[in-house]
Amino acid sequence: MGRVRKKRKGAKYNYDKNRRKEWKKAKKLPNIGCTQIKEAWDPKKSVKKNLEEMGISADPNQTFKIPKTKDIFITEDSKTDQEEKTRKRQPKEHVIEDLEMEASIPQEKTLKLSSEEVKYCIYMLEKYGEDYKAMARDKRNHFQDTPKQIKKKIKTFMNIPEQYNAYIASKTSISC
């Protein structure tokens, strides 16, 4: 019996695609989330030029070049000349300063345990108190946590004031 030969189809024209709309979408500027960069952006310039003027690297591989062995043997005088040539004053240096100021502001840690982990910690504290070895042998220890792991979970639970204070408040309201 003979084999069926594969038929090759030519690419069909897609009538559903609006090519003018696709071209305009490709030309449109990307959405910039950073307000500092968005304010300093010049739509008439290319991405690389805009970033270069702001002092931001478009390609870090070109910015931080790995020196070749023959470059290492170049004298120190020629290096300083090259550094002076490459170190140009960017007209939009305020962008970098604003970004550095924003990055230096410390952020609050918003640590929260999931509701399942909170229930697990409350159950273990209610039943065993501070006996972590007994907690490790409990039937609800599905993840087979060691005593040290359980202790660490409970410590993190106690260090989250919102969740731990809610537990303490519910405990005192039940006992009253």
Side-chain angles (χ1 to χ4, degrees), residues 6-48:
K6 291 182 182 178
K7 290 186 177 181
R8 292 189 180 141
K9 290 185 178 181
K12 290 186 177 180
Y13 185 79
N14 189 358
Y15 291 97
D16 296 335
K17 187 182 277 187
N18 186 346
R19 279 167 175 62
R20 180 183 291 152
K21 195 176 185 181
E22 292 290 322
W23 183 80
K24 283 183 179 180
K25 192 185 284 186
K27 283 297 205 182
K28 193 178 99 174
L29 285 174
N31 290 334
I32 302 169
C34 182
T35 55
Q36 293 90 348
I37 293 175
K38 196 173 196 175
E39 290 170 3
W41 194 267
D42 186 6
K44 294 176 183 162
K45 294 181 182 174
S46 68
V47 174
K48 191 174 181 180

Side-chain angles (χ1 to χ4, degrees), residues 26-81:
K27 283 297 205 182
K28 193 178 99 174
L29 285 174
N31 290 334
I32 302 169
C34 182
T35 55
Q36 293 90 348
I37 293 175
K38 196 173 196 175
E39 290 170 3
W41 194 267
D42 186 6
K44 294 176 183 162
K45 294 181 182 174
S46 68
V47 174
K48 191 174 181 180
K49 265 287 192 220
N50 269 311
L51 294 176
E52 194 176 286
E53 283 183 358
M54 290 180 218
I56 302 171
S57 174
D59 185 11
N61 291 327
Q62 288 182 347
T63 307
F64 298 107
K65 291 184 179 177
I66 299 170
K68 296 177 182 170
T69 50
K70 72 176 186 179
D71 293 340
I72 295 170
F73 294 113
I74 294 175
T75 61
E76 295 296 322
D77 297 331
S78 60
K79 279 187 183 179
T80 55
D81 294 337

Side-chain angles (χ1 to χ4, degrees), residues 30-164:
N31 290 334
I32 302 169
C34 182
T35 55
Q36 293 90 348
I37 293 175
K38 196 173 196 175
E39 290 170 3
W41 194 267
D42 186 6
K44 294 176 183 162
K45 294 181 182 174
S46 68
V47 174
K48 191 174 181 180
K49 265 287 192 220
N50 269 311
L51 294 176
E52 194 176 286
E53 283 183 358
M54 290 180 218
I56 302 171
S57 174
D59 185 11
N61 291 327
Q62 288 182 347
T63 307
F64 298 107
K65 291 184 179 177
I66 299 170
K68 296 177 182 170
T69 50
K70 72 176 186 179
D71 293 340
I72 295 170
F73 294 113
I74 294 175
T75 61
E76 295 296 322
D77 297 331
S78 60
K79 279 187 183 179
T80 55
D81 294 337
Q82 289 174 352
E83 288 176 8
E84 288 176 16
K85 289 177 187 175
T86 57
R87 203 180 313 140
K88 297 175 187 172
R89 180 111 174 124
Q90 286 86 11
K92 299 178 183 176
E93 279 190 356
H94 64 89
V95 176
I96 293 177
E97 292 166 4
D98 293 343
L99 289 171
E100 286 176 349
M101 287 288 288
E102 188 178 315
S104 66
I105 298 170
Q107 294 181 343
E108 289 184 26
K109 289 185 179 180
T110 54
L111 181 68
K112 273 195 170 183
L113 291 176
S114 67
S115 61
E116 296 298 318
E117 285 184 331
V118 170
K119 287 177 188 175
Y120 174 75
C121 291
I122 290 171
Y123 167 77
M124 291 297 190
L125 284 170
E126 292 285 322
K127 191 166 183 182
Y128 299 105
E130 297 290 318
D131 189 10
Y132 299 109
K133 288 184 181 178
M135 290 181 195
R137 291 189 301 268
D138 190 78
K139 64 181 179 182
R140 285 207 188 169
N141 186 6
H142 300 295
F143 297 109
Q144 296 182 347
D145 292 331
T146 62
K148 282 190 176 181
Q149 288 172 327
I150 295 171
K151 185 177 183 179
K152 188 177 178 185
K153 275 186 185 178
I154 291 174
K155 266 203 170 152
T156 53
F157 169 64
M158 289 178 172
N159 288 334
I160 302 170
E162 306 156 355
Q163 294 176 332
Y164 187 66

